[in-house]
Amino acid sequence: MGVVLGLESSCDETAAALVGSDRRILAQRIASQDEEHAPYGGVVPEIAARAHADRLAPMIAAVLDDAGMTLDDCDAIAATAGPGLIGGVMVGLVSGKALAMASGKPLMAINHLEGHALSPRLADESLRFPYALLLVSGGHCQILRVDGVGEYRRLATTIDDALGEAFDKSAKIMGLGYPGGPAVERLAMQGDASAVPLPRPLLGSAEPHFSFAGLKSAVLRAHESGQYADADIAASFQQAAVNCVIDRLETALSGHGDLRSLVVAGGVAANMTMRAALEAFAAGRDMAFTAPPMALCTDNAAMIAWAGCERLPLQQSDPLDFRARPRWPLDPDAEPVRGAGVKA
Ligand code: KG4
Ligand code: ZN
């Protein structure tokens, strides 16, 4: 059995974990920065990078201690090398390089999205390639076809906001605080999902991509009109978002009938209305549906260590001068999508 030390610092979670290739999580720690960023209603890159720099090294010492291990017991050091906020990514990657150099163990520079893409296999031994992955978080919004380790095809992405970002921005509009997803979901429980007419951007369009900027703007207008209760806006927003996701999945997966499993990952996977809709969608197509436990769905280091474990048999490692990549598409052949308001 191999053991990999994983480091994650690409957004606002500082995390370290030790994972065995037998799927045992030997130790893991995670520190969220929600409190630091809450006053700003979103992640502030400079604050995030500083917090990672303060916390990561003691956290690595702590997970080794938790597992009763030393670096000598590890077979590789896996660190997120992108995509993400560059300051944070550099903290984790440089730490990983230093540990790899000092211990003589191979460095694995992991694509954060690959961590998400493979994490369902850490939780579920029976999940075989290929499968369809819906990745919906604050920073990512993609549908991927996962054919094997290193074999990812992006079927859809967002032309503007990520889905979690739309939840966060809607929450901010209604003064619900950050992170907004859970707050919107709680409020939506008391609301009427058909009360507020909201758009479903790109619904029915031939390309399977997502767009949420128009939905968010409509939430702003509904809120400012003073005509609707926030609970009704929250419920209607959530319903519109779910409708969009299901419609986009239908389009993205047409022609991919060989995919027999649908997996959801990312923070928005916590949303119960979303889960129920995805479950029904999968059942209707005779696909198995799985969602990894929430701790593996949101950003964490176990998924980075696991991506390293998946690579151990392939004997792939990366050089010590590997560059941190703020942008790093999982599927390099995917065409860039340009839409209104797309980020450069
Ligand atoms: O995966 P994650 O922890 O971090 C990244 O963004 O990578 O995802 C966080 C996102 C936030 O946008 C948050 O608002 C959203 O996931 N989220 C939810 C829920 N819980 C978290 N969105 C909708 N409903 C939820 N229950
Ligand atoms: Zn993530």
Side-chain angles (χ1 to χ4, degrees):
M1 187 204 59
V3 174
V4 175
L5 170 65
L7 309 179
E8 162 59 34
S9 58
S10 64
C11 190
D12 60 344
E13 320 281 348
T14 312
L18 284 161
V19 174
S21 49
D22 62 354
R23 294 185 162 76
R24 269 192 310 150
I25 298 176
L26 303 166
Q28 72 167 324
R29 294 205 177 206
I30 183 157
S32 134
Q33 303 171 5
D34 281 352
E35 270 174 39
E36 282 94 329
H37 301 294
Y40 307 95
V43 178
V44 183
E46 171 80 17
I47 294 175
R50 286 171 184 265
H52 291 305
D54 291 346
R55 289 175 188 167
L56 189 57
M59 189 176 278
I60 294 165
V63 292
L64 286 167
D65 196 52
D66 290 347
M69 298 177 108
T70 68
L71 289 177
D72 286 339
D73 302 311
C74 299
D75 295 276
I77 316 293
T80 297
L85 301 172
I86 192 68
V89 172
M90 284 168 68
V91 171
L93 180 59
V94 169
S95 304
K97 288 176 177 180
L99 294 177
M101 198 173 66
S103 64
K105 308 288 176 169
L107 169 76
M108 292 177 178
I110 303 291
N111 183 315
H112 176 87
L113 297 170
E114 178 172 46
H116 280 300
L118 297 175
S119 67
R121 284 168 47 83
L122 169 56
D124 181 357
E125 195 175 350
S126 67
L127 180 63
R128 304 261 181 272
F129 300 119
Y131 53 88
L133 174 76
L134 171 70
L135 178 53
V136 275
S137 71
H140 334 292
C141 191
Q142 303 194 342
I143 301 169
L144 292 160
R145 187 190 156 99
V146 183
D147 280 289
V149 179
E151 294 176 60
Y152 314 101
R153 205 164 123 205
R154 194 199 71 196
L155 303 178
T157 188
T158 180
I159 64 169
D160 41 55
D161 294 347
L163 181 53
E165 198 178 352
F167 269 92
D168 293 334
K169 287 177 176 174
S170 297
K172 198 172 179 181
I173 289 165
M174 292 183 276
L176 301 179
Y178 173 85
V184 169
E185 181 173 23
R186 266 195 309 278
L187 189 60
M189 283 172 193
Q190 300 150 32
D192 173 359
S194 61
V196 187
L198 293 173
R200 270 92 175 134
L202 297 185
L203 201 83
S205 87
E207 293 278 316
H209 301 307
F210 298 95
S211 169
F212 293 108
L215 177 56
K216 170 207 64 192
S217 307
V219 165
L220 177 64
R221 284 194 300 276
H223 180 74
E224 285 182 341
S225 77
Q227 268 181 279
Y228 306 104
D230 278 347
D232 288 343
I233 298 177
S236 301
F237 162 79
Q238 183 172 270
Q239 191 56 51
V242 168
N243 290 160
C244 290
V245 168
I246 298 301
D247 177 76
R248 307 295 57 214
L249 267 175
E250 246 159 36
T251 307
L253 297 186
S254 79
H256 295 274
D258 60 320
L259 300 178
R260 303 317 310 146
S261 299
L262 172 66
V263 177
V264 64
V268 185
N271 189 286
M272 297 316 288
T273 307
M274 183 67 71
R275 275 192 190 227
L278 291 171
E279 216 165 337
F281 168 83
R285 299 173 61 102
D286 241 350
M287 291 174 88
F289 172 70
T290 47
M294 268 330 288
L296 276 182
C297 270
T298 56
D299 286 351
N300 66 87
M303 71 180 189
I304 302 303
W306 173 250
C309 289
E310 293 259 33
R311 280 213 219 161
L312 278 179
L314 308 174
Q315 300 199 311
Q316 286 173 356
S317 64
D318 294 295
L320 290 175
D321 62 355
F322 194 97
R323 274 208 167 167
R325 301 179 181 173
R327 296 179 65 80
W328 186 1
L330 252 195
D331 175 1
D333 299 326
E335 292 194 8
V337 238
R338 296 271 169 240
V342 76
K343 287 171 192 147

